Amino acid sequence: MQYEFTIIVPLFNEEENLLRVEQALSDYINKAIKMSSVLLVNDGSTDNSLTLIEEICSRQEHFRYISFDKNRGLSAAIKAGFDHAESPLIGYIDSDLQTDPEDFDLLLAEIGEYDLVTGVRGNRKDRFVKNISSKIANNIRRSFTNDGMEDTGCPLKVIKAEYALNIPMFQGLHRFLPAMILLQEGTVKQVPVRHYPRLAGTPKYHLWNRLGGPLVDCFAYLWMKKKYINYKIEKKG
């Protein structure tokens, strides 16, 4: 089957959420505006996630998975998803389902003239500390990248595969996906999406890896921007 759109779901120790993920994404792809599939990326979970993933993929025709040998981090899981997707468009959503898969259609409606479309979470349902630390981190990152993005951490994105595969990923770079598209002279757009409280599982990020880590990554991004190779072929023969 030739899919138009692959939804990557990185996950680490999310056994409490996986059946909800199955139901929500199965419901979505049955009525999505693009022929869609789901790629679950197990980032070395130590709970019962892998067993559940195998069961889900055995009964869902449009689901498949890859599983790491050990925990490698969110950026590695996203890169693996980019590398193993088999469609011209790639999406990304978190397994906590704090964003709604149905909002992918809002992003897909805009992707034609853009190379990456990212959600902006309105009326966020997170705790105060998480909201304020994310706001500070976004301001810091935006001052380094000048990408104009209000909410680069929103876990709902659609990107053209040709651009995704050209991103030189490193740990932490998932926060810089719009900036990396701009480095390729691509175009980006933000679209408001819905946001919900986390119903199950445990958040994997705390104050340090929302603030300290991204600040260090900003300097890595500046180095990469300076060294980045970009070219276009005008003729060949």
Side-chain angles (χ1 to χ4, degrees), residues 178-199:
M180 296 307 298
I181 300 305
L182 293 174
L183 275 186
Q184 298 180 55
E185 299 180 357
T187 54
V188 300
K189 183 174 183 176
Q190 304 174 98
V191 174
V193 297
R194 292 169 288 180
H195 192 248
Y196 304 95
R198 177 185 264 270
L199 298 181

PDB file of all heavy atoms in Angstrom, residues 178-199:
ATOM      1  N   PRO A 178      11.925  23.515  13.096  1.00  0.00           N
ATOM      2  CA  PRO A 178      11.635  24.629  12.181  1.00  0.00           C
ATOM      3  C   PRO A 178      12.896  25.371  11.747  1.00  0.00           C
ATOM      4  O   PRO A 178      13.045  25.721  10.563  1.00  0.00           O
ATOM      5  CB  PRO A 178      10.706  25.530  13.002  1.00  0.00           C
ATOM      6  CG  PRO A 178      10.056  24.603  13.979  1.00  0.00           C
ATOM      7  CD  PRO A 178      11.129  23.621  14.342  1.00  0.00           C
ATOM      8  N   ALA A 179      13.811  25.605  12.684  1.00  0.00           N
ATOM      9  CA  ALA A 179      15.047  26.304  12.341  1.00  0.00           C
ATOM     10  C   ALA A 179      15.874  25.515  11.338  1.00  0.00           C
ATOM     11  O   ALA A 179      16.497  26.094  10.433  1.00  0.00           O
ATOM     12  CB  ALA A 179      15.872  26.569  13.606  1.00  0.00           C
ATOM     13  N   MET A 180      15.858  24.187  11.463  1.00  0.00           N
ATOM     14  CA  MET A 180      16.623  23.362  10.522  1.00  0.00           C
ATOM     15  C   MET A 180      16.000  23.351   9.135  1.00  0.00           C
ATOM     16  O   MET A 180      16.697  23.199   8.131  1.00  0.00           O
ATOM     17  CB  MET A 180      16.753  21.942  11.065  1.00  0.00           C
ATOM     18  CG  MET A 180      17.552  21.822  12.356  1.00  0.00           C
ATOM     19  SD  MET A 180      19.190  22.586  12.257  1.00  0.00           S
ATOM     20  CE  MET A 180      19.954  21.625  10.963  1.00  0.00           C
ATOM     21  N   ILE A 181      14.690  23.521   9.050  1.00  0.00           N
ATOM     22  CA  ILE A 181      14.059  23.647   7.742  1.00  0.00           C
ATOM     23  C   ILE A 181      14.437  24.982   7.117  1.00  0.00           C
ATOM     24  O   ILE A 181      14.718  25.068   5.911  1.00  0.00           O
ATOM     25  CB  ILE A 181      12.524  23.531   7.867  1.00  0.00           C
ATOM     26  CG1 ILE A 181      12.139  22.180   8.465  1.00  0.00           C
ATOM     27  CG2 ILE A 181      11.852  23.720   6.505  1.00  0.00           C
ATOM     28  CD1 ILE A 181      12.696  20.989   7.723  1.00  0.00           C
ATOM     29  N   LEU A 182      14.480  26.024   7.922  1.00  0.00           N
ATOM     30  CA  LEU A 182      14.879  27.336   7.405  1.00  0.00           C
ATOM     31  C   LEU A 182      16.323  27.320   6.928  1.00  0.00           C
ATOM     32  O   LEU A 182      16.664  28.004   5.948  1.00  0.00           O
ATOM     33  CB  LEU A 182      14.683  28.404   8.489  1.00  0.00           C
ATOM     34  CG  LEU A 182      13.223  28.680   8.884  1.00  0.00           C
ATOM     35  CD1 LEU A 182      13.167  29.653  10.061  1.00  0.00           C
ATOM     36  CD2 LEU A 182      12.435  29.229   7.700  1.00  0.00           C
ATOM     37  N   LEU A 183      17.201  26.542   7.585  1.00  0.00           N
ATOM     38  CA  LEU A 183      18.583  26.419   7.121  1.00  0.00           C
ATOM     39  C   LEU A 183      18.644  25.816   5.726  1.00  0.00           C
ATOM     40  O   LEU A 183      19.563  26.095   4.955  1.00  0.00           O
ATOM     41  CB  LEU A 183      19.402  25.549   8.084  1.00  0.00           C
ATOM     42  CG  LEU A 183      20.021  26.219   9.308  1.00  0.00           C
ATOM     43  CD1 LEU A 183      20.912  25.232  10.045  1.00  0.00           C
ATOM     44  CD2 LEU A 183      20.808  27.456   8.938  1.00  0.00           C
ATOM     45  N   GLN A 184      17.663  24.970   5.399  1.00  0.00           N
ATOM     46  CA  GLN A 184      17.602  24.371   4.065  1.00  0.00           C
ATOM     47  C   GLN A 184      16.871  25.282   3.072  1.00  0.00           C
ATOM     48  O   GLN A 184      16.556  24.864   1.959  1.00  0.00           O
ATOM     49  CB  GLN A 184      16.883  23.021   4.134  1.00  0.00           C
ATOM     50  CG  GLN A 184      17.569  21.984   5.001  1.00  0.00           C
ATOM     51  CD  GLN A 184      16.799  20.677   5.026  1.00  0.00           C
ATOM     52  OE1 GLN A 184      16.510  20.091   3.985  1.00  0.00           O
ATOM     53  NE2 GLN A 184      16.469  20.190   6.212  1.00  0.00           N
ATOM     54  N   GLU A 185      16.604  26.515   3.501  1.00  0.00           N
ATOM     55  CA  GLU A 185      15.862  27.488   2.686  1.00  0.00           C
ATOM     56  C   GLU A 185      14.441  27.005   2.410  1.00  0.00           C
ATOM     57  O   GLU A 185      13.827  27.330   1.391  1.00  0.00           O
ATOM     58  CB  GLU A 185      16.603  27.797   1.387  1.00  0.00           C
ATOM     59  CG  GLU A 185      17.979  28.404   1.629  1.00  0.00           C
ATOM     60  CD  GLU A 185      18.734  28.722   0.346  1.00  0.00           C
ATOM     61  OE1 GLU A 185      18.213  28.428  -0.751  1.00  0.00           O
ATOM     62  OE2 GLU A 185      19.838  29.280   0.446  1.00  0.00           O
ATOM     63  N   GLY A 186      13.910  26.210   3.343  1.00  0.00           N
ATOM     64  CA  GLY A 186      12.524  25.789   3.277  1.00  0.00           C
ATOM     65  C   GLY A 186      11.623  26.807   3.958  1.00  0.00           C
ATOM     66  O   GLY A 186      12.080  27.819   4.495  1.00  0.00           O
ATOM     67  N   THR A 187      10.322  26.526   3.947  1.00  0.00           N
ATOM     68  CA  THR A 187       9.335  27.434   4.529  1.00  0.00           C
ATOM     69  C   THR A 187       8.577  26.734   5.639  1.00  0.00           C
ATOM     70  O   THR A 187       8.333  25.525   5.589  1.00  0.00           O
ATOM     71  CB  THR A 187       8.347  27.923   3.451  1.00  0.00           C
ATOM     72  OG1 THR A 187       7.771  26.792   2.788  1.00  0.00           O
ATOM     73  CG2 THR A 187       9.059  28.802   2.432  1.00  0.00           C
ATOM     74  N   VAL A 188       8.172  27.495   6.650  1.00  0.00           N
ATOM     75  CA  VAL A 188       7.488  26.935   7.811  1.00  0.00           C
ATOM     76  C   VAL A 188       6.259  27.767   8.146  1.00  0.00           C
ATOM     77  O   VAL A 188       6.184  28.947   7.808  1.00  0.00           O
ATOM     78  CB  VAL A 188       8.427  26.875   9.045  1.00  0.00           C
ATOM     79  CG1 VAL A 188       9.636  26.000   8.756  1.00  0.00           C
ATOM     80  CG2 VAL A 188       8.875  28.268   9.456  1.00  0.00           C
ATOM     81  N   LYS A 189       5.304  27.127   8.808  1.00  0.00           N
ATOM     82  CA  LYS A 189       4.087  27.818   9.228  1.00  0.00           C
ATOM     83  C   LYS A 189       3.605  27.245  10.548  1.00  0.00           C
ATOM     84  O   LYS A 189       3.784  26.059  10.822  1.00  0.00           O
ATOM     85  CB  LYS A 189       2.981  27.683   8.174  1.00  0.00           C
ATOM     86  CG  LYS A 189       1.710  28.450   8.541  1.00  0.00           C
ATOM     87  CD  LYS A 189       0.675  28.442   7.430  1.00  0.00           C
ATOM     88  CE  LYS A 189      -0.534  29.284   7.850  1.00  0.00           C
ATOM     89  NZ  LYS A 189      -1.540  29.400   6.762  1.00  0.00           N
ATOM     90  N   GLN A 190       2.985  28.103  11.368  1.00  0.00           N
ATOM     91  CA  GLN A 190       2.379  27.685  12.623  1.00  0.00           C
ATOM     92  C   GLN A 190       0.855  27.670  12.494  1.00  0.00           C
ATOM     93  O   GLN A 190       0.280  28.552  11.863  1.00  0.00           O
ATOM     94  CB  GLN A 190       2.756  28.656  13.751  1.00  0.00           C
ATOM     95  CG  GLN A 190       4.253  28.831  13.938  1.00  0.00           C
ATOM     96  CD  GLN A 190       4.553  29.894  14.967  1.00  0.00           C
ATOM     97  OE1 GLN A 190       4.811  29.586  16.119  1.00  0.00           O
ATOM     98  NE2 GLN A 190       4.510  31.157  14.568  1.00  0.00           N
ATOM     99  N   VAL A 191       0.224  26.668  13.111  1.00  0.00           N
ATOM    100  CA  VAL A 191      -1.233  26.531  13.083  1.00  0.00           C
ATOM    101  C   VAL A 191      -1.716  26.232  14.504  1.00  0.00           C
ATOM    102  O   VAL A 191      -1.188  25.321  15.149  1.00  0.00           O
ATOM    103  CB  VAL A 191      -1.667  25.398  12.124  1.00  0.00           C
ATOM    104  CG1 VAL A 191      -3.167  25.161  12.221  1.00  0.00           C
ATOM    105  CG2 VAL A 191      -1.270  25.724  10.693  1.00  0.00           C
ATOM    106  N   PRO A 192      -2.688  26.956  15.019  1.00  0.00           N
ATOM    107  CA  PRO A 192      -3.211  26.663  16.360  1.00  0.00           C
ATOM    108  C   PRO A 192      -3.835  25.272  16.432  1.00  0.00           C
ATOM    109  O   PRO A 192      -4.568  24.860  15.528  1.00  0.00           O
ATOM    110  CB  PRO A 192      -4.281  27.748  16.569  1.00  0.00           C
ATOM    111  CG  PRO A 192      -3.925  28.840  15.615  1.00  0.00           C
ATOM    112  CD  PRO A 192      -3.322  28.151  14.420  1.00  0.00           C
ATOM    113  N   VAL A 193      -3.526  24.542  17.519  1.00  0.00           N
ATOM    114  CA  VAL A 193      -4.093  23.207  17.748  1.00  0.00           C
ATOM    115  C   VAL A 193      -4.586  23.115  19.190  1.00  0.00           C
ATOM    116  O   VAL A 193      -4.226  23.927  20.044  1.00  0.00           O
ATOM    117  CB  VAL A 193      -3.062  22.089  17.462  1.00  0.00           C
ATOM    118  CG1 VAL A 193      -2.639  22.106  16.006  1.00  0.00           C
ATOM    119  CG2 VAL A 193      -1.846  22.210  18.377  1.00  0.00           C
ATOM    120  N   ARG A 194      -5.379  22.090  19.453  1.00  0.00           N
ATOM    121  CA  ARG A 194      -5.922  21.887  20.798  1.00  0.00           C
ATOM    122  C   ARG A 194      -4.889  21.230  21.719  1.00  0.00           C
ATOM    123  O   ARG A 194      -3.963  20.584  21.258  1.00  0.00           O
ATOM    124  CB  ARG A 194      -7.180  21.018  20.702  1.00  0.00           C
ATOM    125  CG  ARG A 194      -8.348  21.700  20.012  1.00  0.00           C
ATOM    126  CD  ARG A 194      -9.459  20.727  19.694  1.00  0.00           C
ATOM    127  NE  ARG A 194      -9.095  19.832  18.600  1.00  0.00           N
ATOM    128  CZ  ARG A 194      -9.900  18.890  18.131  1.00  0.00           C
ATOM    129  NH1 ARG A 194     -11.097  18.708  18.660  1.00  0.00           N
ATOM    130  NH2 ARG A 194      -9.505  18.114  17.122  1.00  0.00           N
ATOM    131  N   HIS A 195      -5.112  21.394  23.017  1.00  0.00           N
ATOM    132  CA  HIS A 195      -4.207  20.799  24.000  1.00  0.00           C
ATOM    133  C   HIS A 195      -5.017  20.259  25.165  1.00  0.00           C
ATOM    134  O   HIS A 195      -6.023  20.851  25.560  1.00  0.00           O
ATOM    135  CB  HIS A 195      -3.193  21.842  24.499  1.00  0.00           C
ATOM    136  CG  HIS A 195      -2.067  21.261  25.280  1.00  0.00           C
ATOM    137  ND1 HIS A 195      -1.886  21.484  26.627  1.00  0.00           N
ATOM    138  CD2 HIS A 195      -1.058  20.425  24.906  1.00  0.00           C
ATOM    139  CE1 HIS A 195      -0.806  20.833  27.042  1.00  0.00           C
ATOM    140  NE2 HIS A 195      -0.299  20.181  26.032  1.00  0.00           N
ATOM    141  N   TYR A 196      -4.560  19.112  25.719  1.00  0.00           N
ATOM    142  CA  TYR A 196      -5.295  18.425  26.772  1.00  0.00           C
ATOM    143  C   TYR A 196      -4.353  18.059  27.920  1.00  0.00           C
ATOM    144  O   TYR A 196      -3.139  17.954  27.734  1.00  0.00           O
ATOM    145  CB  TYR A 196      -5.917  17.136  26.222  1.00  0.00           C
ATOM    146  CG  TYR A 196      -6.798  17.350  25.021  1.00  0.00           C
ATOM    147  CD1 TYR A 196      -6.300  17.198  23.722  1.00  0.00           C
ATOM    148  CD2 TYR A 196      -8.134  17.700  25.167  1.00  0.00           C
ATOM    149  CE1 TYR A 196      -7.099  17.391  22.618  1.00  0.00           C
ATOM    150  CE2 TYR A 196      -8.950  17.898  24.070  1.00  0.00           C
ATOM    151  CZ  TYR A 196      -8.437  17.742  22.793  1.00  0.00           C
ATOM    152  OH  TYR A 196      -9.233  17.945  21.702  1.00  0.00           O
ATOM    153  N   PRO A 197      -4.900  17.816  29.113  1.00  0.00           N
ATOM    154  CA  PRO A 197      -4.055  17.345  30.218  1.00  0.00           C
ATOM    155  C   PRO A 197      -3.549  15.936  29.938  1.00  0.00           C
ATOM    156  O   PRO A 197      -4.178  15.162  29.216  1.00  0.00           O
ATOM    157  CB  PRO A 197      -5.021  17.344  31.420  1.00  0.00           C
ATOM    158  CG  PRO A 197      -6.210  18.130  30.995  1.00  0.00           C
ATOM    159  CD  PRO A 197      -6.295  18.004  29.506  1.00  0.00           C
ATOM    160  N   ARG A 198      -2.406  15.599  30.523  1.00  0.00           N
ATOM    161  CA  ARG A 198      -1.920  14.210  30.473  1.00  0.00           C
ATOM    162  C   ARG A 198      -2.798  13.379  31.389  1.00  0.00           C
ATOM    163  O   ARG A 198      -2.959  13.687  32.572  1.00  0.00           O
ATOM    164  CB  ARG A 198      -0.459  14.142  30.916  1.00  0.00           C
ATOM    165  CG  ARG A 198       0.089  12.719  30.963  1.00  0.00           C
ATOM    166  CD  ARG A 198       1.495  12.680  31.522  1.00  0.00           C
ATOM    167  NE  ARG A 198       2.503  12.685  30.484  1.00  0.00           N
ATOM    168  CZ  ARG A 198       3.014  11.603  29.909  1.00  0.00           C
ATOM    169  NH1 ARG A 198       2.570  10.403  30.259  1.00  0.00           N
ATOM    170  NH2 ARG A 198       3.949  11.701  29.000  1.00  0.00           N
ATOM    171  N   LEU A 199      -3.352  12.277  30.843  1.00  0.00           N
ATOM    172  CA  LEU A 199      -4.261  11.429  31.605  1.00  0.00           C
ATOM    173  C   LEU A 199      -3.570  10.239  32.258  1.00  0.00           C
ATOM    174  O   LEU A 199      -4.079   9.685  33.230  1.00  0.00           O
ATOM    175  CB  LEU A 199      -5.391  10.924  30.698  1.00  0.00           C
ATOM    176  CG  LEU A 199      -6.298  12.004  30.091  1.00  0.00           C
ATOM    177  CD1 LEU A 199      -7.385  11.359  29.235  1.00  0.00           C
ATOM    178  CD2 LEU A 199      -6.914  12.878  31.177  1.00  0.00           C
TER     179      LEU A 199
END
